[in-house]
């Protein structure tokens, strides 16, 4: 099998054709160590009986830094991996040598006012990227790794994302685009128009719409060397209508739950101890996956989706809704390949690697094989080369 790289939360997974290995980001490790040191250095100010007497004890608890880290995207370059990450709102792009544990990571880009959400390698040291400057809009850009220059190529009140170099046109980038919903006062409504697949000509800077669906969003376009187009097709917004009768019956339970949570918070605030800190309370140590994740701009409740997907026959289910489908565009129509998929990439041998958030699969000739497990996999990329050079690009 072909090599591929995938993201797994704050780690980077590499499949070498036979086995999978996980790697830590050197930058993320240093950031966490620095955050822990900073908290420990201030600990003396907010602990002890003196802090309780002054009322500063709870302030210390609030000062504990939460480190939110995600590896957003990764690309294979021989024995090295170029990856983009977000740490507490700041973003960076680094190159890691996975064949040498002692080798220092190479810095490519750092930014505190924008995020690099996706990467796709075209020429050597040249990447098509998704750049998000705020929580609503994002745009397509080119990152030159040789000099850390970042050029933004699209603009407007849109969410342009998932930039991917065409496999047949060296001066074309594929991406998906959705308009931002606004109310009468210009505030973000929390919704986007259905995403359509577009192409950007790097020579003329002309943008063309190449595929849309009247009701569904089409995202993450990728092209094979024979020109075949693939993408993820999903509802523009997941429908989660609850049963009104069940909701009414659950009201007393939720009121009791709220009272218990209030008492728990009250006791912890004044004693510094949890009500369930002793004994063999079954609530202790219980592992839950109640994370709410933004995947491709959509809020997904991982625990609920896992329970829903468990009902299907597929044993290797994940937390991506089954309404999300990997499709191939044939004669202007979307032909489904696999459901419950959030990302994929194309192999040189005609196969496809794809992920449902918990597993990575290899698909070829109608057969599906699981090749890797993950905790939080939202991106997968093969080692397919575009064989371009920097001189091939006009921008």
């Amino acid at each position: 099998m072909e090599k591929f790289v995938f993201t797994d939360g704050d780690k980077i997974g590499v499949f070498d054709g036979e086995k999978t290995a996980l790697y830590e980001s050197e930058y993320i490790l240093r950031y966490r160590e620095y955050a822990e040191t900073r908290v420990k250095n201030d600990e003396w100010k907010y602990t002890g009986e003196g802090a309780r007497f002054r009322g500063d004890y709870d302030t210390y608890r609030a000062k504990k830094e939460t480190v939110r880290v995600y590896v957003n995207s990764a690309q294979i370059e021989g024995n090295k991996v170029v990856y983009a990450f977000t740490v507490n709102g700041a973003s960076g792009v680094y190159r890691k040598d996975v064949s040498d544990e002692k080798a220092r990571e190479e810095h490519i880009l750092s930014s505190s006012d924008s995020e690099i959400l996706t990467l796709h390698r075209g020429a050597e040291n040249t990447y098509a990227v998704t750049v998000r400057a705020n929580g609503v809009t994002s745009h397509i850009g080119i990152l030159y790794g040789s000099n850390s220059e970042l050029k933004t190529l699209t603009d407007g009140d849109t969410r342009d994302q998932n930039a991917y170099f065409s496999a047949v046109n060296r001066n074309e980038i594929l991406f998906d685009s959705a308009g931002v919903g606004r109310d009468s006062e210009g505030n973000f409504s929390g919704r986007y128009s259905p995403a359509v697949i577009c192409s950007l000509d790097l020579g003329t800077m002309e943008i063309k719409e190449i595929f849309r669906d009247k009701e569904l969003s089409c995202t993450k376009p990728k092209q094979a060397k024979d020109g075949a187009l693939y993408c993820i097709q999903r509802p523009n917004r997941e429908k989660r209508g609850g049963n009104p009768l069940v909701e009414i019956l659950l009201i007393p339970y939720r009121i009791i739950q709220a009272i218990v949570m209030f008492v728990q918070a009250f006791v912890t605030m004044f004693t510094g101890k949890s009500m369930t800190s002793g004994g063999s309370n079954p609530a202790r140590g219980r592992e839950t996956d109640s994370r709410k994740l933004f995947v491709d701009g959509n809020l997904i409740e991982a625990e609920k989706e896992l329970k829903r997907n468990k009902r299907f026959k597929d044993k290797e289910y994940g937390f991506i809704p089954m309404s999300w489908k990997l499709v191939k565009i044939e004669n202007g129509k979307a032909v489904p390949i696999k459901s419950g998929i959030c990302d994929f990439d194309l192999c040189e041998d005609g196969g496809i690697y794809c992920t449902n958030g918990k597993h990575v699969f290899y698909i070829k000739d109608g057969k599906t094989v699981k090749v890797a497990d993950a905790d939080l996999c939202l991106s997968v990329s093969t080692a397919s080369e575009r064989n371009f050079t920097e001189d091939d690009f006009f921008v």
Side-chain angles (χ1 to χ4, degrees):
M1 287 185 180
E2 186 176 321
K3 292 174 60 176
F4 70 88
V5 62
F6 62 97
T7 63
D8 191 0
D10 60 356
K11 297 180 177 62
I12 304 162
V14 177
F15 179 77
D16 63 5
E18 296 181 356
K19 61 182 183 302
T20 301
L22 288 178
Y23 297 89
E24 300 269 10
S25 161
E26 182 180 326
Y27 178 91
I28 293 173
L29 287 174
R30 290 201 309 268
Y31 187 97
R32 281 203 169 105
E33 290 174 359
Y34 176 70
E36 290 175 3
T37 300
R38 187 165 58 243
V39 170
K40 289 181 179 179
N41 288 343
D42 290 340
E43 186 173 349
W44 65 273
K45 301 177 184 178
Y46 304 102
T47 55
E49 293 302 320
R52 293 184 189 280
F53 178 78
R54 296 191 307 270
D56 292 342
Y57 181 80
D58 193 54
T59 303
Y60 161 69
R61 292 170 59 85
K63 280 182 172 288
K64 286 187 176 181
E65 183 172 350
T66 300
V67 180
R68 295 182 175 86
V69 181
Y70 304 96
V71 176
N72 301 322
S73 182
Q75 293 282 286
I76 295 180
E77 296 181 355
N79 291 325
K80 297 182 179 180
V81 173
V82 174
Y83 67 96
F85 63 89
T86 297
V87 178
N88 285 2
S91 187
V93 179
Y94 277 72
R95 181 181 287 109
K96 183 181 185 65
D97 189 338
V98 295
S99 65
D100 185 356
E101 294 182 0
K102 296 182 180 180
R104 295 298 300 272
E105 292 183 347
E106 302 172 44
H107 169 264
I108 297 177
L109 179 74
S110 294
S111 177
S112 59
D113 55 7
S114 63
E115 292 180 77
I116 303 298
L117 299 183
T118 67
L119 287 168
H120 186 237
R121 182 173 180 257
E124 181 180 359
N125 264 334
T126 305
Y127 309 90
V129 297
T130 301
V131 185
R132 182 169 66 185
N134 57 57
V136 178
T137 62
S138 59
H139 301 293
I140 304 305
I142 291 284
L143 172 61
Y144 295 98
S146 56
N147 59 8
S148 300
E149 181 183 8
L150 176 63
K151 288 186 177 181
T152 303
L153 306 178
T154 65
D155 57 17
D157 199 21
T158 59
R159 186 180 66 193
D160 301 332
Q161 57 185 4
N162 301 312
Y164 192 89
F165 281 111
S166 166
V168 297
N169 186 343
R170 63 186 182 182
N171 290 312
E172 184 178 75
I173 292 177
L174 304 176
F175 66 98
D176 58 79
S177 181
V180 176
R182 303 282 182 184
D183 61 22
S184 59
E185 297 180 353
N187 299 312
F188 178 47
S189 66
R191 304 188 68 174
Y192 295 88
S193 67
V196 299
I197 296 176
C198 300
S199 66
L200 169 65
D201 189 306
L202 297 176
T204 64
M205 300 307 295
E206 180 182 6
I207 296 176
K208 294 181 179 179
E209 181 183 303
I210 58 178
F211 184 76
R212 72 155 59 228
D213 188 281
K214 293 181 180 180
E215 298 179 355
L216 302 175
S217 279
C218 301
T219 67
K220 299 197 174 184
K222 297 179 181 180
Q223 187 180 45
K225 289 187 176 181
D226 62 1
L229 182 65
Y230 299 78
C231 70
I232 300 293
Q233 199 171 56
R234 57 170 175 75
N236 194 43
R237 191 167 185 171
E238 291 295 324
K239 295 181 180 180
R240 295 295 181 225
N243 186 320
L245 179 59
V246 173
E247 295 295 322
I248 293 173
L249 293 175
L250 285 175
I251 289 177
Y253 166 76
R254 287 173 178 165
I255 292 175
I256 295 173
Q257 186 181 43
I259 294 173
V260 171
M261 292 177 68
F262 173 79
V263 174
Q264 168 77 8
F266 183 83
V267 172
T268 302
M269 180 174 66
F270 285 95
T271 68
K273 296 181 180 180
S274 170
M275 289 172 59
T276 58
S277 60
S280 57
N281 193 307
R284 297 188 62 203
R286 182 183 299 163
E287 295 183 2
T288 60
D289 190 0
S290 58
R291 290 172 299 189
K292 293 184 178 181
L293 308 172
F294 276 95
V295 182
D296 201 27
N298 283 256
L299 180 64
I300 291 178
E301 297 185 48
E303 184 181 12
K304 290 183 179 179
E305 291 299 338
L306 281 169
K307 290 180 179 178
R308 289 189 183 100
N309 294 343
K310 190 176 182 179
R311 298 174 300 175
F312 295 92
K313 294 181 180 179
D314 188 358
K315 295 181 180 180
E316 307 294 350
Y317 58 88
F319 55 77
I320 300 302
M322 298 303 286
S323 56
W324 293 38
K325 298 181 179 181
L326 166 61
V327 302
K328 181 180 181 180
I329 308 302
E330 294 182 348
N331 300 319
K333 295 183 179 180
V335 179
I337 297 175
K338 187 172 177 59
S339 299
I341 299 300
C342 65
D343 196 26
F344 69 100
D345 206 358
L346 308 173
C347 304
E348 294 283 353
D349 64 1
I352 301 174
Y353 283 120
C354 60
T355 178
N356 64 1
K358 300 294 287 185
H359 312 285
V360 180
F361 304 95
Y362 174 74
I363 302 174
K364 188 178 181 182
D365 300 329
K367 297 181 180 180
T368 301
V369 179
K370 187 187 74 169
V371 291
D373 295 313
D375 177 55
L376 177 60
C377 177
L378 302 179
S379 174
V380 61
S381 176
T382 66
S384 299
E385 296 288 343
R386 289 293 178 266
N387 298 318
F388 299 154
T389 67
E390 286 193 0
D391 294 334
D392 287 328
F393 299 94
F394 290 100
V395 295

